[in-house]
Amino acid sequence: MDIELLHRPGNAAARISLAEGESCTAEAGAMIAMSGNMAIETTTHKRGKGGLLKAVKRMVAGESLFLNHFSVPSGQGEVIMGTSLSGDMMEYVLDNESLIVQGGSFLCCESGVEIDLGWQGFKSLLSGESIFWLNLKGSGKLVVNSFGAIYPVEVDGEYIVDTGHIVAFNEALDFTITKAGSSWLQSFLGGEGLVCKFKGKGTVWCQSHNPDSFGWAMSPGLKQRRA
């Protein structure tokens, strides 16, 4: 599977090229366009594994209930994918490892990548962002997306990131949910609220914009929908 990221960083799209026998798993609704010889199979989990419970867990994490599997019966083909919010995309290659991805940031992956959930306990529940994180593990290429620009932060010791700006991080990193300021009152009055304090050595990929903050900023100007 070859990946070409187009129109970065503000309006990124991914062109996925597949050879005969290759397949790509993507979020439902991600396809913008595709070649005429592309075949699509829709399931609730990985091809050949129904996994309704895992699909429901994925939906709780902010992902859709179904996954689309693209393949080329013969020759070569391509599919172009995009996301709902304007932003960036990043290609990552797993080498028998795990990448923890914030719910809603997964776009697509090769067949060798397993899609599961990494339960982070009550500390994620307190974050107000996502109760679950997607755990992408195995070997193969994958693409994640962000709202706004995406950039890495190298952690060697401790680093603090706002919960709404996290796209993904290495599983080797541990984290706790804590207040941003010296007190809970200062944290919430300052508009920061809760943050993630990462510990260890690894990488956190951040997004420049917070989807929830964007939603709150837009809501006063939205007209009430009439029945």
Side-chain angles (χ1 to χ4, degrees):
M1 183 173 88
D2 292 326
I3 300 170
E4 181 184 4
L5 300 181
L6 312 170
H7 311 302
R8 298 182 68 192
N11 296 283
R15 176 184 283 126
I16 310 297
S17 300
L18 298 174
E20 185 175 339
E22 292 183 329
S23 65
C24 172
T25 297
E27 271 292 320
M31 189 270 288
I32 297 174
M34 64 181 183
S35 57
N37 62 337
M38 189 71 68
I40 306 178
E41 179 185 355
T42 302
T43 69
T44 56
H45 194 50
K46 195 171 181 180
R47 296 181 76 180
K49 301 178 182 179
L52 182 59
L53 178 59
K54 290 186 177 181
V56 173
K57 288 168 64 181
R58 237 187 12 258
M59 187 171 62
V60 174
E63 304 294 329
S64 62
L65 181 62
F66 297 99
L67 292 170
N68 285 330
H69 310 281
F70 298 86
S71 60
V72 185
S74 61
Q76 295 183 336
E78 69 174 29
V79 54
I80 302 174
M81 300 182 189
T83 60
S84 300
L85 296 174
S86 299
D88 204 357
M89 292 182 183
M90 178 189 78
E91 176 185 349
Y92 189 86
V93 181
L94 289 176
D95 183 12
N96 196 26
E97 58 182 312
S98 294
L99 185 71
I100 310 301
V101 178
Q102 177 78 288
S105 291
F106 169 73
L107 182 68
C108 66
C109 65
E110 285 186 300
S111 58
V113 177
E114 289 282 349
I115 305 169
D116 206 346
L117 294 173
W119 168 242
Q120 299 298 321
F122 288 105
K123 59 187 177 183
S124 284
L125 180 63
L126 291 173
S127 74
E129 301 294 337
S130 292
I131 300 176
F132 293 97
W133 301 84
L134 285 176
N135 187 355
L136 305 181
K137 53 189 177 181
S139 297
K141 299 177 183 179
L142 61 91
V143 178
V144 295
N145 65 86
S146 65
F147 183 33
I150 186 171
Y151 53 91
V153 172
E154 300 300 331
V155 180
D156 189 1
E158 290 188 355
Y159 212 94
I160 295 173
V161 182
D162 184 282
T163 53
H165 288 269
I166 300 171
V167 174
F169 59 92
N170 294 133
E171 188 186 31
L173 288 170
D174 190 21
F175 78 91
T176 55
I177 301 296
T178 185
K179 57 184 181 296
S182 58
S183 68
W184 288 109
L185 181 60
Q186 288 184 4
S187 296
F188 285 101
L189 290 178
E192 296 301 330
L194 297 168
V195 295
C196 283
K197 179 182 285 187
F198 289 95
K199 293 183 179 181
K201 190 170 184 177
T203 305
V204 181
W205 286 269
C206 300
Q207 57 189 3
S208 60
H209 300 337
N210 185 326
D212 287 344
S213 297
F214 177 74
W216 281 108
M218 290 291 293
S219 57
L222 297 177
K223 294 182 179 179
Q224 185 175 2
R225 187 183 228 175
R226 295 181 180 180

